[in-house]
Amino acid sequence: MAREYDVVILGGGTGGYVAAIRAAQLGLKTALVEKGKLGGTCLHKGCIPSKALLKSAEVFDMAKNQAAEFGVNTKDVSLDFSRVQARKDGIVKQLHAGVTALMKKGKIDVFDGLGRMLGPSIFSPMPGTISVEMNNGDENEMLILKNLIIATGSRPRTLPGLEIDENQVMSSDGALSMEALPKSIIIVGGGVIGIEWASMLNDFGVEVTVLEYADRIIPTEDDDISKEMKKLLTKKGITFVTSAKVLPETLVKKEGTVTISAEMNGETTAFTAEKMLVSVGRQANVEGIGLDNTEIEIINGYIKTRPTFQTKEHHIYAIGDVIGGLQLAHVASHEGIAAVEHIAGLKNEAIDYTKISRCIYSSPEASSVGITEKQAKEQGFDVKVGKFPFMAIGKALVNGNSDGFVKIIADKKTDDILGVHMIGAHVTDLISEAGLAMVLDATPWEVASTIHPHPSLSEVMGEAALAVDGKAIHM
């Protein structure tokens, strides 16, 4: 059966379903095609389930190791991992129901199946008509469209030759479905996802070893954040091995153990644990969706787009992980909104990716917006830096989490803030103030002039802003 739409969105993840909602708001007849569940990776295999597990790990660690400091006696603390998983699944189920309700509210037609682009055909002289292979086995649906948005997302990447079996050697997808915790684990990759899993599993009582190819963990973050994260997580008992080239061909799986070797400084060392988690990034889902029936360009595995998110086929747009860049749910959402508004003829500025906040939900958390101190200097800025520790913030002491700091980097010439970098408890909730400051091209003086309530963790922003010019009050 053929149906006609103003906009069809291929992929119902965070970017796709938000784009669909915005299109419906603008009065465009909209359809969304999703082969799995609405909400995509973020809701079902990424952001939400992993954060639910992280919260359970935090509560367990506090009950076991910190409660006594608050005068709370917790004898015989134990972990029921089946209930941990049940709580996670319940949260995901509730949010999935919410997204489904939003589709109905917006009168968005949702097609449950695998969508593929067709070339020019009897349905349309332009490429992009979507043929939907329905999950329920019904006859294919043909969606004739004026505009298409590709939002097919990404999946976990692995190293060449390192096969994922989702049992002994897992991706993050498999790790989320573990029925029981291992006694020990090797995590290949010390980036954002690897560090979150390392922190979580350590808090659950698992012996964790992280092998990272770069010379430091979370290598895309500011050097000071990377050093502090390694120091604090090492203190908690996590083992880090940096400058480690993992050798996939050395993988040996036995009952109850997995062993792999890594090369460091010309020497090879073997590492053994009960399980292994491979966390070396994500790759775009560009296969099997009919791209070969179009003129759309693929560069390094990602769809090439203009700042308007148009591909080489101007009526076909692409957003989110499938185009590379910052592979974050909130980025995909705003790219989806921008693409839809361009389709609708609305004027909007190109997204400035340096003003988008990035978060790591480990314990401690880390967050940042803007450029690092090293990047600022490489770009020719004469910088001034303010740094303020949570140790000097009353609310942090009250909360029992006083590790970490906030670092603000500003341009000496213009006084504009170039970057803000945080590590400590709840910094993923604090970073939005810095994000707003970046959007408004604020100066440290303007941030410091905001009267932050006392006692609150937000006071650290005001103090760090004052510290840029050597005027911090409580330090």
Side-chain angles (χ1 to χ4, degrees), residues 381-392:
F381 289 102
D382 187 9
V383 302
K384 52 183 180 178
V385 177
K387 201 171 174 182
F388 198 86
F390 279 105
M391 182 65 74

Side-chain angles (χ1 to χ4, degrees), residues 204-264:
F204 276 141
V206 178
E207 181 184 328
V208 179
T209 299
V210 178
L211 306 179
E212 168 55 42
Y213 181 77
D215 61 359
R216 62 189 179 97
I217 62 171
I218 46 175
T220 58
E221 296 300 319
D222 188 87
D223 285 3
D224 287 346
I225 299 296
S226 177
K227 290 174 185 175
E228 185 76 359
M229 181 68 80
K230 184 179 180 182
K231 182 186 81 173
L232 295 176
L233 291 184
T234 299
K235 185 178 178 181
K236 293 177 71 171
I238 297 174
T239 298
F240 291 100
V241 183
T242 54
S243 301
K245 181 183 179 182
V246 171
L247 306 172
E249 67 274 12
T250 66
L251 176 67
V252 176
K253 293 189 287 185
K254 297 180 180 179
E255 186 175 350
T257 65
V258 58
T259 299
I260 199 163
S261 296
E263 184 181 293
M264 296 89 67

Side-chain angles (χ1 to χ4, degrees), residues 6 14-15 62 68 103 119-120 134-135 159 181 232 271 394 397 406 469:
D6 295 318
T14 310
M62 172 163 273
M103 296 298 101
M134 302 300 291
N135 289 341
L159 297 176
L181 290 166
L232 295 176
F271 300 87
L397 295 173
V406 169
D469 293 307

Side-chain angles (χ1 to χ4, degrees), residues 163-177:
E163 184 178 350
I164 304 291
D165 61 24
E166 299 298 15
N167 180 20
Q168 287 181 285
V169 181
M170 304 177 292
S171 69
S172 56
D173 288 357
L176 285 169
S177 301

